[in-house]
């Protein structure tokens, strides 16, 4: 069993959470990740916009593997400077203004530095609006940013350097509890990045010999749908996304163990890659469950929609109240890191994936299609016996 350092996961996650990184404003967190890769002695490349492609060399170049997590988060931008000295906002990523109400935040101006503030409903005072504070609609048009500056007009805001398009980072308000729970905004997907780095650390320190080149990718535009579309190489044949799973009514995800996603709103994940992940969980005795997400997309979707001929899978850690007031448990991050380690260290099973195209079916995959092994019905007068629990096949 690999030595997964839970103290390292928590420490690096704390560092990531303390580094503001709404999509479009991620240079600082890219630098944090690159500094840690330097410390671990892992080579990497950086794209123009700051996505990272780190690599651990394997015995062969192809068919290369990749694992990807994203370090950009939800946030907002200033849409309009208002006459009352406050600011209208638009969200970065898909999240409800219900979870923005009351949030402390930082506004980054281009020339005058960062300012602190609070996002409030338009009708924030019960002493003034009475019951209207409970009946106003939930919408981004119903909230405003109150900066902690002396500003009573639009011109006051402009004089201080505020402008349309300024980025707004939402405070994570992270708490690491002694019982293993972590409560914070932006655990999607900084917790996934921390788990991936813990697996890298275990692979490097354990001097594990990998079968093929294995890339560890960090995207910076997942929350707006681009994600992995610009960071893959042509020799990557399979890619596993590390992201959050939703623990909610009607879902099978949990805050413990690994949740293997079988499909999301963009369709099923690759059958062969997903079955391998499930098999590795069984072999390594990693607690796990399966789930399907109806209103969810990830870096895997971005890669496929960009035209990449790559097998994709999705490994998740359960988050309660995703894209809101999020909570996870360290047990899940530990389990995810173990699965990442097991996958990176596993042998290549589909050797044909080394070539993107072939003029032969030799080595092409197959699917189980045989009928289940069931008892035949050979009588008309006697009732059939009750099938054993779980069936025979």
């Amino acid at each position: 069993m690999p030595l997964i350092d839970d103290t390292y996961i928590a420490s690096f996650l704390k560092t990531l959470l303390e580094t503001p990184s709404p999509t479009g404003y991620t240079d600082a967190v890219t630098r944090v990740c690159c500094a840690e890769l330097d410390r671990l002695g892992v080579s990497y490349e950086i794209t123009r916009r700051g996505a990272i492609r780190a690599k651990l060399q394997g015995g062969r170049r192809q068919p290369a593997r990749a694992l990807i997590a994203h370090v950009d988060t939800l946030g907002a931008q200033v849409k309009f400077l208002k006459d009352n000295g406050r600011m209208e906002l638009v969200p970065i990523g898909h999240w409800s203004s219900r979870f923005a109400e009351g949030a402390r935040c930082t506004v980054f101006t281009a020339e005058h530095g960062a300012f602190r503030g609070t996002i409030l409903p338009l009708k924030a005072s019960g002493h003034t609006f009475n019951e209207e504070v409970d009946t106003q609609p939930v919408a981004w048009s119903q909230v405003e940013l109150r900066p902690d500056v002396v500003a009573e007009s639009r011109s006051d805001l402009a004089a201080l350097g505020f402008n349309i398009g300024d980025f707004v980072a939402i405070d994570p308000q992270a708490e690491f509890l002694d019982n293993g729970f972590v409560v914070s905004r932006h655990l999607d997907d900084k917790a996934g990045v921390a788990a991936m780095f813990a697996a890298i650390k275990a692979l490097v320190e354990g001097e594990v010999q990998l079968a093929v080149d294995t890339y560890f990718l960090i995207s910076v535009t997942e929350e707006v749908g681009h994600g992995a579309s610009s960071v893959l190489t042509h020799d990557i044949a399979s890619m596993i996304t590390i992201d959050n799973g939703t623990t909610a009514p009607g879902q099978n995800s949990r805050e413990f163990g690994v949740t293997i996603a079988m499909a999301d709103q963009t369709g099923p994940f690759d059958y062969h890659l997903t079955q391998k992940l499930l098999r590795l969980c069984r072999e390594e005795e990693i607690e796990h469950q399966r789930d399907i997400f109806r209103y969810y997309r990830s870096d895997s979707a971005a890669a496929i929609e960009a035209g990449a001929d790559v097998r994709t899978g999705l490994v998740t850690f359960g988050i309660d109240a995703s894209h809101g007031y999020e909570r996870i448990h360290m047990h899940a991050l530990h389990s995810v890191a173990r699965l990442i380690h097991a996958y990176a260290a596993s042998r290549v099973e589909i050797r044909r994936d080394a070539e993107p195209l072939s003029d032969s079916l030799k080595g092409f995959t197959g699917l189980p299609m045989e009928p289940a092994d069931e008892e035949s019905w050979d009588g008309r007068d006697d009732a059939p016996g009750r099938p054993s629990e779980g069936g025979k096949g």
Side-chain angles (χ1 to χ4, degrees):
M1 184 181 298
L3 181 60
I4 299 298
D5 188 343
D6 288 350
T7 301
Y8 173 86
I9 294 177
S11 175
F12 190 53
L13 175 56
K14 185 174 184 291
T15 299
L16 292 173
L17 291 171
E18 290 173 347
T19 308
S21 58
T23 307
Y25 210 81
T26 55
D27 290 359
V29 80
T30 292
R31 292 179 178 275
V32 168
C33 292
C34 289
E36 185 61 14
L37 289 170
D38 285 333
R39 195 187 72 80
L40 293 172
V42 178
S43 62
Y44 58 86
E45 299 172 312
I46 312 169
T47 69
R48 293 181 181 90
R49 292 194 293 172
I52 301 170
R53 184 191 298 131
K55 184 176 78 170
L56 293 181
Q57 187 171 341
R60 295 197 308 275
R61 178 185 171 195
Q62 292 180 308
R65 294 168 168 161
L67 298 108
I68 186 168
H70 71 90
V71 79
D72 60 305
T73 70
L74 302 170
Q77 281 183 285
V78 174
K79 184 182 184 297
F80 195 69
L81 306 183
K82 302 176 68 172
D83 290 333
N84 64 354
R86 301 186 180 193
M87 288 169 272
E88 184 179 344
L89 300 175
V90 291
I92 294 175
H94 299 284
W95 63 300
S96 172
S97 66
R98 182 189 303 275
F99 300 114
E101 295 178 359
R104 292 288 289 165
C105 60
T106 301
V107 186
F108 295 98
T109 68
E111 298 178 359
H112 291 247
F115 294 89
R116 298 287 289 159
T118 307
I119 300 174
L120 296 171
L122 298 184
K123 299 176 180 179
S125 172
H127 290 110
T128 299
F129 298 105
N130 199 8
E131 294 180 357
E132 292 181 57
V133 298
D134 297 317
T135 59
Q136 61 184 311
V138 176
W140 282 93
S141 61
Q142 296 294 315
V143 299
E144 60 187 4
L145 195 157
R146 180 189 67 191
D148 296 330
V149 298
V150 179
E152 298 179 346
S153 66
R154 184 187 309 179
S155 58
D156 288 345
L157 290 172
L160 288 166
F162 293 102
N163 216 324
I164 293 171
D166 286 346
F167 284 86
V168 180
I170 310 302
D171 284 9
Q173 297 178 282
E175 291 186 51
F176 290 78
L177 305 183
D178 291 340
N179 62 6
F181 279 111
V182 182
V183 182
S184 177
R185 297 179 192 255
H186 314 319
L187 295 172
D188 171 17
D189 183 34
K190 290 184 174 180
V193 175
M196 188 168 75
F197 268 78
I200 295 173
K201 178 175 180 289
L203 289 165
V204 171
E205 293 179 351
E207 299 181 349
V208 177
Q209 301 299 311
L210 305 183
V212 292
D213 287 355
T214 302
Y215 292 88
F216 295 88
L217 312 176
I218 301 172
S219 66
V220 293
T221 55
E222 192 275 345
E223 293 293 358
V224 295
H226 308 161
S229 59
S230 62
V231 72
L232 290 175
T233 64
H234 291 296
D235 56 332
I236 293 175
S238 60
M239 184 185 78
I240 294 174
T241 296
I242 314 299
D243 213 327
N244 70 291
T246 60
T247 59
Q251 298 294 150
N252 198 46
S253 299
R254 298 180 66 238
E255 292 172 276
F256 304 92
V258 176
T259 301
I260 307 295
M262 309 305 291
D264 66 6
Q265 69 182 49
T266 61
F269 292 105
D270 183 80
Y271 177 87
H272 305 284
L273 184 55
T274 300
Q275 291 299 315
K276 176 168 185 168
L277 293 172
L278 292 167
R279 186 171 66 254
L280 287 171
C281 284
R282 293 191 296 268
E283 292 173 352
E284 300 293 323
E285 297 183 347
I286 300 171
E287 184 177 335
H288 65 285
Q289 52 273 330
R290 309 181 186 196
D291 210 345
I292 288 179
F293 305 125
R294 295 168 295 174
Y295 311 112
Y296 183 111
R297 54 174 286 128
S298 67
D299 280 308
S300 290
I304 295 299
E305 291 170 355
D309 179 23
V310 60
R311 301 183 188 276
T312 60
L314 175 61
V315 169
T316 74
F317 48 94
I319 278 188
D320 188 82
S322 60
H323 280 204
Y325 300 105
E326 298 174 339
R327 187 183 75 175
I328 61 174
H329 197 278
M330 288 295 297
H331 184 280
L333 299 188
H334 178 95
S335 302
V336 166
R338 282 186 58 198
L339 180 55
I340 294 171
H341 185 284
Y343 174 72
S346 67
R347 64 186 181 87
V348 174
E349 296 170 2
I350 308 176
R351 296 183 178 275
R352 185 183 182 276
D353 280 355
E355 301 297 331
L357 294 173
S358 174
D359 58 3
S360 169
L361 281 171
K362 183 178 180 180
F364 187 67
T365 52
L367 294 167
M369 304 287 286
E370 297 78 13
D373 182 15
E374 298 182 290
E375 293 182 13
S376 60
W377 170 248
D378 56 4
R380 297 183 180 180
D381 297 327
D382 297 328
R386 185 179 181 88
S388 60
E389 184 177 353
K392 290 188 63 179

